[in-house]
Amino acid sequence: MDDRQFRTAMGKFATGVTVITTELDGDIHGMTANAFMSVSLDPKLVVISIGERAKILNKIKESKIFTVNILAKDQQELSMIFAGQIKEPREVVFDRLDGKPVLEGACAQVACEVSVVHVEGDHTLFIGKVTDIHLEEKEPLVFFNGKYRALAKV
Ligand code: FAD
């Protein structure tokens, strides 16, 4: 089994697309991520998985806060900005939820405090205790087989 085969297999799992944000010393940093999962209802916990080379990694470790913004289908450009797929710098305006930076127009904004940090292989898992949520009735952006998609009725 090589890396490409592993990546291809994992790409068969259709997911939503999120932008994780954090703020350290007044600077907001965002990163596109689909490694996001709900963990527990009581207490309310979620998990994100961040690669060891991502610049946001140490920022979340230091700030001990992050938000998960579940992108809507009209927000592919934001996903591309925060994945470094659009190279030129863009001005992005952030809202606030529980004092933490969030993206306006997302299907869901989830504000978290880091509860547990767990290094596994070349990624770090952050368990986040959810401190607030904001919802909008919108269709999600979807990622499957390395491409952006939208939901279709079956
Ligand atoms: P950078 O490369 O510095 O930032 C990423 C981009 O965001 C840069 O272009 C930067 O200009 C822009 N940016 C950051 N903050 C701001 C701001 N305040 N205003 C405007 N622009 C800003 N990686 C993972 O580790 N885990 C995952 O679960 C994951 N899932 C992914 C899912 C998808 C669909 C895609 C496309 C990528 C995913 N990645 C994931 C890869 C990850 O998004 C990229 O490797 C990313 O570029 C790494 O970000 P970084 O923290 O190193 O920051």
Side-chain angles (χ1 to χ4, degrees):
M1 191 216 318
D2 62 13
D3 290 359
R4 181 189 293 265
Q5 196 183 17
F6 182 76
R7 277 173 180 270
T8 303
M10 295 306 117
K12 301 294 177 196
F13 188 57
T15 65
V17 181
T18 79
V19 171
I20 309 295
T21 76
T22 194
E23 184 170 23
L24 189 63
D25 303 328
D27 285 333
I28 299 173
H29 191 91
M31 190 195 87
T32 301
N34 62 351
F36 162 68
M37 192 177 77
S38 162
V39 171
S40 160
L41 189 58
D42 184 18
K44 293 179 180 54
L45 301 172
V46 297
V47 64
I48 56 170
S49 175
I50 307 284
E52 65 187 356
R53 283 188 294 204
K55 296 190 191 87
I56 201 168
L57 177 62
N58 283 327
K59 293 175 194 281
I60 297 179
K61 276 188 193 162
E62 274 194 59
S63 68
K64 298 185 173 57
I65 58 115
F66 64 89
T67 72
V68 181
N69 301 268
I70 301 176
L71 296 185
K73 73 174 179 190
D74 61 357
Q75 294 184 307
Q76 181 180 329
E77 191 177 61
L78 282 175
S79 173
M80 295 177 74
I81 290 171
F82 288 104
Q85 294 168 328
I86 293 176
K87 299 290 174 209
E88 1 18 289
R90 297 277 177 94
E91 177 99 23
V92 177
V93 179
F94 293 90
D95 270 356
R96 296 275 165 181
L97 178 70
D98 192 31
K100 304 172 182 73
V102 286
L103 290 172
E104 191 185 343
C107 295
Q109 304 165 341
V110 184
C112 300
E113 286 167 1
V114 173
S115 146
V116 173
V117 182
H118 183 84
V119 180
E120 200 58 67
D122 57 12
H123 276 60
T124 298
L125 306 179
F126 291 95
I127 306 273
K129 180 170 173 288
V130 177
T131 58
D132 206 351
I133 278 181
H134 174 78
L135 296 172
E136 284 189 31
E137 267 315 310
K138 294 178 87 174
E139 291 271 301
L141 183 63
V142 174
F143 199 67
F144 172 70
N145 237 1
K147 292 198 172 65
Y148 294 104
R149 316 267 179 148
L151 290 181
K153 287 212 171 74
V154 286

